[in-house]
Amino acid sequence: MILGVVSLVVLALVVFMTINVTVSVQQKIRLQNYADAKAFSLAVIEARSLNYFAYTNRAIASSYVSMANLHAYMSEATMLTDLRLSSAAVMTEIAAQELAQCFCWPGVPCRPQHCYHSFEAEMNALGLTIDALSGKVAKKIQNVDRSAQSVMSALNLHIGALHASQQAVKAGVLIALGKGEFGDLKADNMSKAASVTSDPLTLSIQNVQQWNQVFESNEQRKRRIMAETVNATRQDFAWNRKGAPLANGLLFPQLGKLVKSESIWMGPEGTWLSVQAPGGVSGRTGVTASGSFPGQSGAMAILTRDVASNIEGKSMSTYDHSALTGTWRHGAGGALLPLLGPIGVARLSSGDSEAHKSGLFSLTGNPHSGSAHSSPKLDMHRFLEFNIGDSYPYNQPAVYATATTDGRVNEFGNRGPYEIAKDGTGTVRITKVGPTDGVLTLTNNSPTKAFSKAQVYYHRIGDWSDYPNIFNPYWRAKLHPMTTRELATTLTIVDSNAAILVGGAQAVPGGGGKGVNIQ
């Protein structure tokens, strides 16, 4: 009888212990799912943020390229400041040709109309000279310059707004990492046991460090990277005036009307064309460090070269010169534009080195609107650059997550009725049965803990050789095994006993990385 009662008690305790273990295992699974979901969700936020930075970096670079194109077109316009002075030289040449056709020669009849044409050409040359010295064309170009400055300011504000949005997103990620929890994930995974589930902040510092190490902080290096990016993506025309004759035809479709003097003009408009040699001979535009290109000295640009790589972008620079050709009546001629050509080019520079000159002496006026072209500053460090590391994982950020709960509380938020002890300790004490009390612990009284790691990584599908960067939006997130180093630096913070256990299991022959999730 007594033996049977004892057997029933022992059997009941075994059943209770089994149920307790079932609940604890179930809650452990729920907690691990929660930790995995939290780590992965935070990693997805980081990946999406990095992809956003890639898109906005491209937009910022595109805005700087637009500035370069604007400088190229403005430089072309500046070249026209000497247009009437150069066309006066052309008309003088044509006047001489007309005069030569006026005289009688053996076997050639006299053609007095050419004498009148020569007089017309000389008068046109005089009118063009008067207009040139009055600076009428320069004043027209000043209006264009004001519009160009407005566009530059708008592009600068656009870049500033994009960079401010990047900083806001970057700070938002830091806030999310510092909270230690994420949205409704806890309630979704732990149900009513969420009330006894906590999110320790022990790993927040590691997550913040991982996120901050992603970004390059050296502004000088960032300026070099953006300068090289802009110079590499310039339009061909801005780069070296490729297709220049065609481009000039599109830029100056009514060149004849602009040449025609407002003071004195006789006869037809004639046909006028500005011709530039491509390949950087007659003009260049790009980001420079000092406001001029290699081989350029102020207004002299005879043997210039394109900027080298790895220069610190501080200025946006451009220069232009061309050959002006004109046909009028029965003559044709040509002159340099500006008048001294490569010895006195039209040039424009914005940023740290500012200039806007129409030639060597600027006798016909300077086409600037009073702005020194130092505003806005280029500030080419206004973007986010990836700080690539020397070894794996190359500063690609990891996200760690941990959570703790009371494993004896089920998804309904209740302890089981099988917990005999009224004090909620899960321990049964049998007193007055011998020299010492009998103690039987039916469940684990220690908090249940879970740890998870996610990796944010860069992968351009089909091209593993593309190194991590924040100009291409190919950032992804995945759950990832721990490294041996993280056993000591991260898991130990969460649970030193677990770190020792995992480290020991790793050393077991045949245990391998898979069994203990070690990379």
Side-chain angles (χ1 to χ4, degrees):
M1 182 67 179
I2 295 177
L3 183 59
V5 172
V6 172
S7 299
L8 289 175
V9 172
V10 172
L11 179 60
L13 293 176
V14 170
V15 171
F16 293 156
M17 292 176 65
T18 302
I19 296 175
N20 284 342
V21 170
T22 302
V23 173
S24 295
V25 170
Q26 182 189 41
Q27 292 305 97
K28 170 61 179 176
I29 294 173
R30 286 177 174 272
L31 189 68
Q32 187 62 53
N33 288 340
Y34 169 50
D36 290 343
K38 183 167 61 170
F40 183 74
S41 297
L42 290 172
V44 167
I45 288 180
E46 291 190 6
R48 289 179 176 176
S49 298
L50 291 171
N51 287 333
Y52 173 75
F53 298 154
Y55 285 117
T56 47
N57 277 348
R58 288 185 171 206
I60 290 171
S62 177
S63 297
Y64 281 120
V65 171
S66 297
M67 285 184 176
N69 294 334
L70 180 63
H71 275 65
Y73 299 137
M74 193 63 223
S75 177
E76 289 282 325
T78 302
M79 184 174 63
L80 299 183
T81 306
D82 275 359
L83 177 63
R84 288 181 176 170
L85 200 59
S86 297
S87 57
V90 174
M91 291 302 297
T92 301
E93 184 180 352
I94 292 175
Q97 296 172 9
E98 291 284 357
L99 185 63
Q101 297 178 67
C102 170
F103 296 116
C104 302
W105 299 94
V108 179
C110 296
R111 291 175 289 182
Q113 71 273 20
H114 288 290
C115 293
Y116 180 68
H117 294 164
S118 176
F119 170 73
E120 286 183 322
E122 287 289 358
M123 293 302 295
N124 290 345
L126 176 61
L128 289 168
T129 303
I130 294 172
D131 284 356
L133 295 178
S134 68
K136 290 184 178 180
V137 176
K139 292 175 182 177
K140 292 180 179 179
I141 297 176
Q142 282 182 15
N143 295 328
V144 179
D145 182 69
R146 292 187 183 96
S147 299
Q149 282 292 291
S150 297
V151 175
M152 279 286 290
S153 297
L155 288 171
N156 184 64
L157 290 173
H158 180 59
I159 291 171
L162 287 172
H163 187 53
S165 72
Q166 289 182 329
Q167 296 290 4
V169 171
K170 181 181 175 184
V173 173
L174 286 174
I175 292 172
L177 294 174
K179 284 183 177 180
E181 60 182 24
F182 186 82
D184 296 328
L185 283 179
K186 185 190 297 186
D188 293 340
N189 285 272
M190 301 304 296
S191 299
K192 292 186 178 181
S195 60
V196 294
T197 303
S198 61
D199 298 272
L201 299 178
T202 51
L203 297 179
S204 294
I205 295 177
Q206 280 81 351
N207 287 336
V208 169
Q209 289 175 342
Q210 288 282 320
W211 178 244
N212 284 334
Q213 75 180 8
V214 170
F215 304 101
E216 175 64 59
S217 59
N218 188 317
E219 291 186 356
Q220 183 182 45
R221 185 168 183 269
K222 290 171 68 176
R223 283 193 290 268
R224 293 178 185 275
I225 292 171
M226 183 56 73
E228 192 160 344
T229 300
V230 173
N231 286 336
T233 53
R234 291 170 290 183
Q235 292 181 352
D236 287 342
F237 178 74
W239 171 35
N240 61 7
R241 303 302 186 261
K242 183 177 181 180
L246 176 62
N248 282 334
L250 296 174
L251 287 171
F252 314 129
Q254 297 182 331
L255 194 59
K257 287 183 170 48
L258 193 59
V259 168
K260 188 175 180 180
S261 171
E262 299 172 21
S263 301
I264 304 172
W265 188 264
M266 303 176 68
E269 285 184 1
T271 303
W272 301 85
L273 183 66
S274 171
V275 180
Q276 286 184 287
V281 176
S282 298
R284 292 185 189 275
T285 304
V287 180
T288 63
S290 59
S292 59
F293 289 88
Q296 179 184 358
S297 177
M300 297 185 64
I302 300 176
L303 297 174
T304 62
R305 305 181 304 279
D306 200 10
V307 291
S309 59
N310 203 33
I311 59 104
E312 187 177 356
K314 292 184 176 181
S315 299
M316 193 79 71
S317 305
T318 182
Y319 71 87
D320 275 285
H321 63 88
S322 70
L324 178 68
T325 63
T327 57
W328 184 87
R329 295 290 192 188
H330 307 94
L336 296 176
L337 184 66
L339 192 61
L340 297 179
I343 298 177
V345 297
R347 65 193 190 278
L348 169 63
S349 180
S350 297
D352 285 6
S353 300
E354 70 273 6
H356 196 178
K357 303 290 185 180
S358 59
L360 182 60
F361 302 114
S362 302
L363 296 177
T364 56
N366 275 322
H368 59 77
S369 58
S371 167
H373 286 274
S374 60
S375 177
K377 290 286 186 181
L378 292 181
D379 292 335
M380 299 192 78
H381 61 273
R382 292 179 296 172
F383 71 105
L384 294 179
E385 171 60 9
F386 184 68
N387 178 31
I388 190 166
D390 297 326
S391 59
Y392 182 83
Y394 310 108
N395 284 342
Q396 297 175 108
V399 178
Y400 308 108
T402 183
T404 63
T405 190
D406 187 341
R408 293 154 55 197
V409 177
N410 60 25
E411 68 269 29
F412 303 106
N414 301 318
R415 295 180 183 274
Y418 41 79
E419 291 195 1
I420 300 174
K422 295 181 180 180
D423 58 3
T425 61
T427 299
V428 177
R429 288 183 175 275
I430 304 174
T431 60
K432 300 178 181 180
V433 294
T436 59
D437 293 343
V439 178
L440 180 61
T441 300
L442 302 180
T443 187
N444 179 18
N445 289 318
S446 300
T448 300
K449 299 178 181 179
F451 172 81
S452 184
K453 173 193 172 184
Q455 181 70 51
V456 181
Y457 67 103
Y458 178 89
H459 176 204
R460 184 171 189 166
I461 295 177
D463 186 7
W464 278 105
S465 63
D466 192 11
Y467 61 86
N469 64 86
I470 319 184
F471 277 92
N472 291 324
Y474 301 122
W475 288 91
R476 305 165 184 271
K478 64 177 179 178
L479 294 176
H480 200 67
M482 288 185 296
T483 62
T484 304
R485 178 175 174 271
E486 287 167 337
L487 286 178
T489 60
T490 306
L491 185 57
T492 301
I493 299 174
V494 178
D495 192 327
S496 58
N497 292 330
I500 295 172
L501 179 62
V502 173
Q506 184 189 15
V508 175
K514 295 182 179 179
V516 292
N517 204 29
I518 295 293
Q519 187 183 49

